[in-house]
Amino acid sequence: RMSDSVSTADRRQRASAAFCLSFLSLVFSITAFSSSYWCEGTRKVAKPFCTGQSKGDHCIRFNSPDANNSNAVQYIWETGDDKFVDRKFHAGIWYSCEEIINEEGEKCRSFISLTPSADRGVLWLSIVAELLYIILLLTGAILMSIEMCYYGTVIDGLKINAFSAVVTVLAGLLGMVAHMMYTTVFQITVNLGPEDWRPHAWDYGWSYCLAWASFACCMAAAVTTINKYTKTILEFKHKRKTLGRSLKIKYKFPDH
């Protein structure tokens, strides 16, 4: 009886760990999917002319004290790289945003419209795979919560456990494919996208890291669930063998 209570507590702990990992993966995936920081970088933009009271290194200054006088000859001191300024941008699955020079705020546009037409199908497949990934993660988390709160027979718990393991593994595979497809599409867009968007330097952002962290948590939840299922099956087999041996001993040496 003590071993049964210990094994039951161990199964509940494993179920709780799998549920926590699955829920964490779901939160990470929704946050990454809805954000626009999968990739961050800078883009070289020609400096605008300084107007009014605007000064600094983000606009081109004139050497003439009377810049509004059309008769005055205006010379631009900036040459080469001095004529350009680095404008920060960040992009996600849905849209790409870049800062506005000499103003507060950002200018955003759809990332789908920036993608080359030949590769938009791959981007849409990535979006569909991400949505299915989130749906399967939610389904797995619901099944794991049912398994934690359900106090029926152990066989019913094993059925729920097996189904949640299959759903979680399938979710992890879809998430991996979706992340890889988006990475490919973004790299193609960097090389073949519109000239007024192509970044000068870029790197992956926190949303991209969060998406892969979600995948890692998903696979960890799947491994924990499969481990729990396998261990429960082995315990049943061991108990069946032990019961069979005890019955054989009682049959050979009956208790008088």
Side-chain angles (χ1 to χ4, degrees):
R1 290 178 181 177
M2 184 177 294
S3 62
D4 292 342
S5 61
V6 170
S7 60
T8 302
D10 182 63
R11 283 196 296 267
R12 287 183 179 178
Q13 288 179 357
R14 290 175 182 269
S16 301
F19 172 76
C20 291
L21 287 169
S22 181
F23 183 76
L24 197 63
S25 176
L26 180 63
V27 173
F28 285 172
S29 62
I30 292 175
T31 305
F33 185 67
S34 58
S35 66
S36 62
Y37 286 86
W38 285 62
C39 300
E40 300 178 77
T42 56
R43 191 169 71 85
K44 279 190 176 296
V45 182
K47 291 181 181 180
F49 291 108
C50 294
T51 57
Q53 300 296 326
S54 61
K55 295 180 181 179
D57 298 329
H58 296 293
C59 61
I60 298 176
R61 298 181 296 274
F62 304 110
N63 68 332
S64 172
D66 189 5
N68 295 324
N69 188 355
S70 60
N71 295 325
V73 179
Q74 300 172 352
Y75 295 97
I76 300 173
W77 289 105
E78 283 81 356
T79 58
D81 290 338
D82 293 335
K83 294 172 63 176
F84 297 93
V85 63
D86 291 333
R87 176 183 289 178
K88 295 181 181 180
F89 84 98
H90 54 90
I93 294 178
W94 297 107
Y95 51 91
S96 174
C97 299
E98 59 184 23
E99 64 178 353
I100 302 174
I101 301 177
N102 295 328
E103 293 182 17
E104 294 182 357
E106 294 178 329
K107 180 180 68 175
C108 298
R109 45 185 165 171
S110 172
F111 182 74
I112 299 173
S113 63
L114 299 173
T115 308
S117 57
D119 299 295
R120 287 179 186 172
V122 181
L123 180 60
W124 279 112
L125 283 176
S126 173
I127 292 173
V128 171
E130 286 284 352
L131 287 172
L132 289 175
Y133 172 57
I134 293 173
I135 291 172
L136 287 175
L137 279 177
L138 179 62
T139 304
I142 291 173
L143 289 172
M144 291 175 188
S145 64
I146 291 173
E147 182 187 358
M148 289 172 56
C149 302
Y150 183 66
Y151 296 99
T153 62
V154 180
I155 300 300
D156 292 337
L158 279 175
K159 291 178 181 179
I160 298 174
N161 192 4
F163 191 56
S164 62
V166 172
V167 169
T168 309
V169 170
L170 184 59
L173 294 176
L174 274 173
M176 179 181 66
V177 171
H179 303 344
M180 293 176 67
M181 282 194 296
Y182 176 79
T183 304
T184 303
V185 170
F186 185 84
Q187 292 176 352
I188 293 174
T189 307
V190 167
N191 296 322
L192 303 177
E195 292 184 1
D196 64 339
W197 178 83
R198 294 180 191 175
H200 175 70
W202 64 276
D203 201 355
Y204 297 109
W206 62 266
S207 295
Y208 188 81
C209 298
L210 203 64
W212 282 108
S214 170
F215 167 75
C217 291
C218 174
M219 297 310 296
V223 169
T224 305
T225 307
I226 294 172
N227 192 334
K228 175 178 175 292
Y229 177 83
T230 306
K231 188 174 182 180
T232 306
I233 292 294
L234 291 176
E235 285 178 357
F236 270 125
K237 288 183 179 180
H238 178 70
K239 288 179 181 179
R240 183 179 296 177
K241 287 182 180 180
T242 305
L243 181 62
R245 289 174 183 173
S246 63
L247 288 176
K248 286 181 181 179
I249 292 173
K250 285 184 179 180
Y251 180 75
K252 289 181 179 180
F253 305 99
D255 190 5
H256 298 287

